[in-house]
Each structure stands twice: as structure tokens, then as C-alpha cells.
Amino acid sequence: MTSFTTDQVQAIRRSRERVAKLHGELTRYGLVVWTGGNVSERVPGTQHFVIKPSGVDYDDLTPDNMILCDLDGTVVPGSAGSENNPSSDTAAHAYVYRAMPHVGGVVHTHSTYATAWAARNEPIPCHITGMADEFGGEIPVGPFAVIGDDSIGRGIVATLEGHRSRAVLMANHGVFTIGKDARDAVKAAVMCEDVAKTTHIARQGGALVDIPEGKIDALFDRYQNVYGQKPQGGIA
Amino acid sequence: MTSFTTDQVQAIRRSRERVAKLHGELTRYGLVVWTGGNVSERVPGTQHFVIKPSGVDYDDLTPDNMILCDLDGTVVPGSAGSENNPSSDTAAHAYVYRAMPHVGGVVHTHSTYATAWAARNEPIPCHITGMADEFGGEIPVGPFAVIGDDSIGRGIVATLEGHRSRAVLMANHGVFTIGKDARDAVKAAVMCEDVAKTTHIARQGGALVDIPEGKIDALFDRYQNVYGQKPQGGIA
Amino acid sequence: MTSFTTDQVQAIRRSRERVAKLHGELTRYGLVVWTGGNVSERVPGTQHFVIKPSGVDYDDLTPDNMILCDLDGTVVPGSAGSENNPSSDTAAHAYVYRAMPHVGGVVHTHSTYATAWAARNEPIPCHITGMADEFGGEIPVGPFAVIGDDSIGRGIVATLEGHRSRAVLMANHGVFTIGKDARDAVKAAVMCEDVAKTTHIARQGGALVDIPEGKIDALFDRYQNVYGQKPQGGIA
Amino acid sequence: MTSFTTDQVQAIRRSRERVAKLHGELTRYGLVVWTGGNVSERVPGTQHFVIKPSGVDYDDLTPDNMILCDLDGTVVPGSAGSENNPSSDTAAHAYVYRAMPHVGGVVHTHSTYATAWAARNEPIPCHITGMADEFGGEIPVGPFAVIGDDSIGRGIVATLEGHRSRAVLMANHGVFTIGKDARDAVKAAVMCEDVAKTTHIARQGGALVDIPEGKIDALFDRYQNVYGQKPQGGIA
């Protein structure tokens, strides 16, 4: 049986609260429909993460029905919410947490415009400065992979390792994002759909203009270091 | 005069509550405007179904103004809500319930992107895994048919019999979906519009990439058997 | 000074309440931004109509700040709300009420998709049955006209007289709709944008299929006579 | 240390309240995601302006966390909210207030359709009368410029000086708008996205029709002088 220290119990509670609440950002920005999409967070100071249950309405998500898993994706027996199954994407989240120790949050959606690029297996090119800020260049495409083994997790990691983007379009599927915590990964999911939509619409209207050489790097460097109320530094 | 057992009365009440509430999902996802669209549910343990009244505002739908019909689409005299007319699509719903005994719910909308494919009489091709999960392949087109006889109902049944899709695009008209109950049919309506939109946008941007051979079947089989908190099994 | 009977005073009050509330449908369906768009209603049993004030926030519209005008578009001195100016489109509404005695409501918006067709001076063709139901065929384009004289009102009337459509796209401008009362005109505005959007998206994806000959007439005739809880009969 | 008269203190309070509240219009109209976008207002009777803090959630904006800056963009030490950083676009706002004394409000967004035109470095042409009313012609494109020096501010001013438009598309970036006060600049941001969207969709469907010669000027002149409850006169 798994036992936790008092500090760990409190950290788990805080992650449950954050993860439950952050799912509201997915519906606010229209990134998900019905019970699709999921957010998880690595619980600081533990070898566990918290993730959404499978097939539960967004209106019914609470800290207590979030599901606590170890890094193999196994539900902690007897923990709150463990009477339900975790998200069917749990294995992919677990793979990412095992392979990328600096990642503290993972999000998956089938948001419309990102998935449209994914259906063409086409990376989103970087033609707007806000995308340079957030992703440091294009958003790449990962391999076609289906649920049932480690292939989705491996595809995410193989694509994002050594890449500045925190988002990957999985071929014919949807988008996975990573971040230093769940909120950062949710932000990446929101921004990914935003740039997927803007860039799609821009290109439908005619030829896109390139950002001048060197400026994408400059924008990314500045944004990762100075934006917001305190240095964020992305997940690098 | 129709008489019901106590169990049937309670089952009718629960269907009224579910059907009234599920209409809120149509507005939440923007699948309907004004008083368009309708949801019905076969009442378990009876030869009846419950459907939306005609021309009543979505804000005003309650369990008590849902309308109880027999499987010929005739309103049960004296039942709650029977002072109003049932949806003008009632005959189509009734036909489906008579012809497809495994169907427990039917939904009709003119949702924008699904209707756009219908205006071209073009099936929605399956290029995204979420669509393979939910529909097992393309969403087919049914014949052109107008209200006034059984032709809409016959068109729905003729198209969906022997098809894995729970959604059919009726030519130049809109979409009908079926499910094991009303909630399942509403889910199909929500997912149909979602994939209609994503696939439209994807194709506007360039050529779609095919899902590898055999994978659509594999995705559909898995999803129908293991997704969610308990086996769903679709309506098959 | 204008004097009204007790019945007229009550009818004016009811029109003020309906018109104020119906503006909420314009925002609900996203047909307007900022203070754009307007709804008016001919007050039954009077020679007057009620219309939105100019440049007032949608959040601040109430029955008491709706503006009462005679059929020349002149504000009734001393009436509630008369310290404000009426909508800058008041002259166009007044012209319609004078010229078309069967019209009881008028709506004007710059809703996105309808205005897009208007910017091309292109009628919206009828390829979906819901449009046949509601408009009986294409939605026509009226002449280019600017505020400052009767030209907008004349353009609306000249285009809609003898046409089954209750909506007209004014060239490079936006849409005006008419109805038997304000609610009916608002419905036409909602449905016009809905079909403008669906038909635009449908055509972007490829060639539209025609509705079989004779079926548009059949659909229109049925819908005008039997839909809803009681015969509506359009405004004819 | 900066000292203010009682009147100035009250004027600052009112600007804080207006600016905090006006950010709600950016989310209402979907012009921003996450913490992007910002509104500022020159405080009447002072050499200061109020602006949004950097990286704070829209839900958490209040009059007290708006940030008071002098016209060099330096935060007033010890003022409410000064524990946070001002928007990273503060230097651009400050530049505009210094260079354009008639400007009382500035807004910046990455709204989808405006940014799509910006990604092509293409001005939005004027084919709809509502755009002629509001902007008096096309919405121009400013130079590519990045945060870090005065280049964004200089680009805005160089483009808008001598132009009737209150909006400028900054190349590959987004939109800046100016107004006589913050509300007027927010209105310009809302209208800019509206016309960017309508004109994009219109052109996707075919060739746009020109507004007759001379009519754009006539529309702009009328709108700036007579619309609304009292003369507005734009910012001229």
C-alpha cells in the first residue's frame, strides 16, 4: 500500500484542486467537447501525478474525482476517485513524466484548428510574433500512433525532445502540450489553438510574410525571460 | 385511453427529465438556433417515446412540456404537454424507433458544418482518430426527403442500417443521429458537428492524409469496448 | 401634443418590453457588436412604433429607454426615453412601416456572414431545406444606399415587395428583416445569418447540390401553414 | 516622489475603474486569450496613464491592480498595483501618448482576423459601410517591429498620423487602436476585428464590390458628427 507524508498529502490536494479547476479553461476557450480532452499535473515532491477521470462530464469534475496515479500510470489503490478509471490517455501522460523529468504538466485536446493541421500532418509555421514568443518557432508534427501501447507517449517525447515548442500535433489525432506545471501546459494548449486558427485563416487569404531572420529567436529569448510578474523561463 | 403501470409512469418521468435537460447540450454547443432541432428518447419498458414540442423556446423547455407519443408518433391524449404539438420531425423519430429496436434515442439538428456537407451531398471522410473512435469511418449521406410522409424516416434507416455511423447527413437538410439512449444520440450530434468542422477546415488548408489501413477499425473496436467508466458498446 | 387611449398606453408598454428584451437575442446569437443593430415594432392599434435608442450599450437597454416614434420617424415629445436620440436607422424603419402595412417588426444588423454576401452584392442561394422553409428561396440583394434620405427604406421595400424572403441584404452594408411582429423579424435575422453562414461554408468546400425542382415551394408552403403551436402564416 | 491634487487623485481612480472594466469587453468579444491584450487610458488633467499589469488573469483585474505610469512608461512608485510589472507593451502605449496629445486611450490585441491580415502585411480594404463609418477607409499596416525599444510606438504613430483609421495592423504581430479615451479605443478594437472578419469571409467567397466613389468620405463625415446620443467627433 502506498503511504504519503503530510507534506505529500497536502501537495496532492493542491494538485487535485489545480487540475480540476484548469479543465475549466479547456471549456472556456472551446478546446474540448463532451468529455474529450484532459489535463494532468506531476505532484511536486512525489513520484505521482493527478489526471482527469475517463468519460466524466466537465460540469462534474471536482478535486475529489481527479485520479492519482504513479509514474507507470497505475491508479493508487484506495485514493480519492480511484473507483473510476483514469483518462484513456493516462499511459501517454505517464510516459512523458517518466521520460521528461522537467515536465510538470501535460494537456491533451482535439481542438479544432490544431487538429485540422494534424489531419494534414503539417506543422504550423511561425509567422506571428506571439507564436515566436510562446513556441520559439513552428509547432511540429509527431508520428501516427494509436492508444494501446507506449507509441503515443514515445511519439510526443521523440518530437518535443530538443525542440523549443511545448506543443506537438500528433498525426491525424490532436495536440499534446507540456509545461512546467499544469497551468503552463494549459496555457500552451490555449495558445496552440490560437495560433493554429490565426495562421490557418491568414493563409486562406493569401501568402504569408516571413518574420525577419533572427527575430524569432530574439522574441522567444525575451519572452521566456522577462514576461509576466516574475521570470518564467518556460520549462527549459 | 392509454394506461401505464407505476413503473412505466416513473420511467416516463425520467425520460421527460433527461430529454428536457439534454436540449441544453444542443444550445451549449451551438448546434441549434431559435427553436430548431429536437431530441427524443424511447421510454424503457414502454411502446412510447418522449420528444420536444414544436416551436417552443429552448429557455422554456421543461419535463412537463415534453410530449409523450406512441410509436406511430401519435400524442398520448391527456398526457402532460399534450396541449402542444410535438416536433414537426416526430414522424421521422417514430419511424426510426419502429424500424430499429436497438435505438433508444434520436436527435435532429441543422448544425452548421454538418449541414454544409449535406448541402453538397458529400459524406464526411474519416481522417481523424476521434472520428474513427466515435463513428468507425465516414458519416454517410441519406437521400433528399421532405416532411409530409415517411420518406425522412425511411431515408435515415436505409442509410444507417448496416453502417457503423450513428449519424447521417440528410441531403440538403441537416443531420440525424441515433444512440442507445437520448444522451448517446446527443453525444453523436455533438461529435458529428465537431468532426464536420475540423474536417472541413483541414481540407480547406490542403490535402488530407489518410489514416493507415486497418487503424480505423482498430480504433472503433477499442473505443466501443473500453472507453469511459464502464463498457458502452455503442448501440450495436 | 400626442394623446393615447388607455389601451394604446398598454400596447405601447408591451411593445417597449418586447423590443427591449428581443435585443438580447441579437447578442445571444452574436449578430451585433458594441451598439450596432436595432429592433423595432409597430405598436398594435396605433400609428407609432418603438425602436432602440442610438449608441446605448446592449446591457443598458430597458423598456423605458426604448423610443416611441410616429410613422414619420419623429420621436413623440415627452414620451419615456425621448431625451435620447432614436437609432440612426429610424428613418428606414419608418419608411418600411409606412409602405408595408402588413409589417409589424423590423430588424437591422451587420451580422458577419450576411454582410459578407452583401459585400459581394450576391444573393444567398437556397440549397438547404431550412432556408426554403423560412425564406421560400434566395435572400435577395437591395441597392447601395446611404443614410441621409429615404434611400435605404425605399431600397428595402422595392426589394422585398413581391418577394417571399423576409430578409434583404443591402449592398455593402448589412441585412434588414421584416416580420409580422418584432419577434418574427428577429427570428428572420437569426435565420438569415444561420443560412448565410452554412451556405458560405458549404460552397467553400465544393459545388452545392440543387434542391429538386418544386420542393422549395412545397417546403415554404408547408412551413408557413403548419409549423409551431399554431398557424403562423408568415407576414403574408 | 510624485504628488497629485485631490482632483487628480479622483481622476486616477475613475481611469482605474474604467480601464479595469473595459478589459471585460476584450474577453466578451473574444479578442484576447489567456493574459494577452491590454487597455490603457491617459488620466485627464495629469501627465500619467493607467494600464493593465503584465501576466495577470482577466478574471483578477481590478481598479487597484491597474498600474499608474508617467508618460515615459515609468511606474509611479508606491502607487496602487506598483508591486506588479505593467504590461510588456507599456513603452508602446507611452510613446503614443507622448507623440499624439489628442489620444486618450490605447488598446492592443492579437485578435484572430486582424492578426491574420497582419501576418500577410495586408491592409484591410473598405468594402462595407460600417467600416467607412468607423475607420473612414482602409485599416493600414505598420512596420515589423519588436519589443525592446521605441520601434513599436514609432511604427504606430508613423502609420496613424495623418490617417483617418484609429486602428493599425502591426506587421506579423497584431493590432493597436487609439481613441479619445479608453472606451473609444476599445470600440475601435472591437470594430477592427469585426470588419477584419467580415471582409476576410466576404473575399473568400468571391470578388468584393467597391463602395461607390465619394461615399466612404460621406459616411465617415456623417458618422463622426451625428451618431449616438451626442456628437463624438472621433479623436480628431
Side-chain angles (χ1 to χ4, degrees), chain A residues 34, chain B residues 17-26 39 182-183 186:
Chain A
W34 209 249
Chain B
E17 289 169 355
R18 281 193 294 266
V19 171
K21 189 173 179 195
L22 282 163
H23 281 93
E25 301 295 317
L26 303 189
V39 177
R183 182 178 156 88
V186 170

Side-chain angles (χ1 to χ4, degrees), chain A residues 50-136:
Chain A
V50 163
I51 193 167
K52 174 168 160 282
S54 179
V56 173
D57 279 357
Y58 272 83
D59 290 349
D60 296 334
L61 298 179
T62 65
D64 285 334
N65 61 21
M66 296 297 104
I67 297 186
L68 184 67
C69 298
D70 66 23
L71 295 186
D72 291 323
T74 305
V75 178
V76 175
S79 61
S82 61
E83 66 280 11
N84 288 334
N85 294 326
S87 164
S88 57
D89 297 300
T90 298
H93 289 245
Y95 190 98
V96 173
Y97 288 123
R98 290 198 305 276
M100 303 178 99
H102 58 293
V103 169
V106 177
V107 172
H108 173 50
T109 81
H110 298 169
S111 64
T112 302
Y113 285 86
T115 303
W117 290 90
R120 294 190 308 267
N121 295 9
E122 184 180 7
I124 308 173
C126 182
H127 290 274
I128 49 181
T129 57
M131 184 174 177
D133 287 344
E134 194 69 36
F135 298 105

Side-chain angles (χ1 to χ4, degrees), chain D residues 85-136:
Chain D
N85 293 328
S87 164
S88 56
D89 297 300
T90 297
H93 290 245
Y95 190 98
V96 173
Y97 289 123
R98 290 197 305 275
M100 303 178 99
H102 58 294
V103 168
V106 177
V107 172
H108 173 49
T109 81
H110 298 169
S111 64
T112 302
Y113 285 86
T115 303
W117 291 90
R120 294 189 308 266
N121 294 9
E122 183 179 9
I124 308 173
C126 182
H127 290 273
I128 49 182
T129 58
M131 183 174 176
D133 285 345
E134 193 69 37
F135 297 105

Side-chain angles (χ1 to χ4, degrees), chain A residues 25 28-29 127-129 183 186-187 190-191 198 201-202 204-209 211-212 215 222 227-229, chain D residues 33-35 53-57 59 84-85 88 112-113 115-116 119-121 144 146-147 172-173 200 203-204:
Chain A
E25 301 295 318
R28 182 203 294 243
Y29 289 109
H127 290 274
I128 49 181
T129 57
R183 180 178 157 89
V186 170
K187 183 190 180 192
V190 170
M191 298 307 296
T198 302
I201 290 168
Q204 293 304 108
L208 303 181
V209 173
I211 292 177
K215 293 301 187 188
R222 185 202 68 85
Y227 182 74
Q229 293 307 330
Chain D
V33 298
W34 209 250
T35 63
S54 179
V56 172
D57 280 357
D59 290 350
N84 287 335
N85 293 328
S88 56
T112 302
Y113 285 86
T115 303
R120 294 189 308 266
N121 294 9
F144 183 86
V146 293
I147 289 180
N172 300 94
H173 180 180
H200 171 83
R203 202 173 63 174
Q204 293 304 108

Side-chain angles (χ1 to χ4, degrees), chain D residues 74-199:
Chain D
T74 305
V75 178
V76 174
S79 61
S82 62
E83 66 280 13
N84 287 335
N85 293 328
S87 164
S88 56
D89 297 300
T90 297
H93 290 245
Y95 190 98
V96 173
Y97 289 123
R98 290 197 305 275
M100 303 178 99
H102 58 294
V103 168
V106 177
V107 172
H108 173 49
T109 81
H110 298 169
S111 64
T112 302
Y113 285 86
T115 303
W117 291 90
R120 294 189 308 266
N121 294 9
E122 183 179 9
I124 308 173
C126 182
H127 290 273
I128 49 182
T129 58
M131 183 174 176
D133 285 345
E134 193 69 37
F135 297 105
E138 74 169 22
I139 294 177
V141 176
F144 183 86
V146 293
I147 289 180
D149 55 21
D150 275 346
S151 61
I152 293 180
R154 275 187 284 120
I156 297 166
V157 170
T159 311
L160 292 183
E161 287 281 30
H163 205 291
R164 294 200 290 210
S165 172
R166 307 203 309 291
V168 52
L169 309 175
M170 293 301 284
N172 300 94
H173 180 180
V175 60
F176 280 86
T177 60
I178 56 176
K180 61 189 166 68
D181 52 27
R183 181 178 157 89
D184 190 42
V186 170
K187 183 190 181 192
V190 170
M191 297 309 295
C192 176
E193 181 64 6
D194 190 59
V195 300
K197 182 175 184 183
T198 302
T199 307

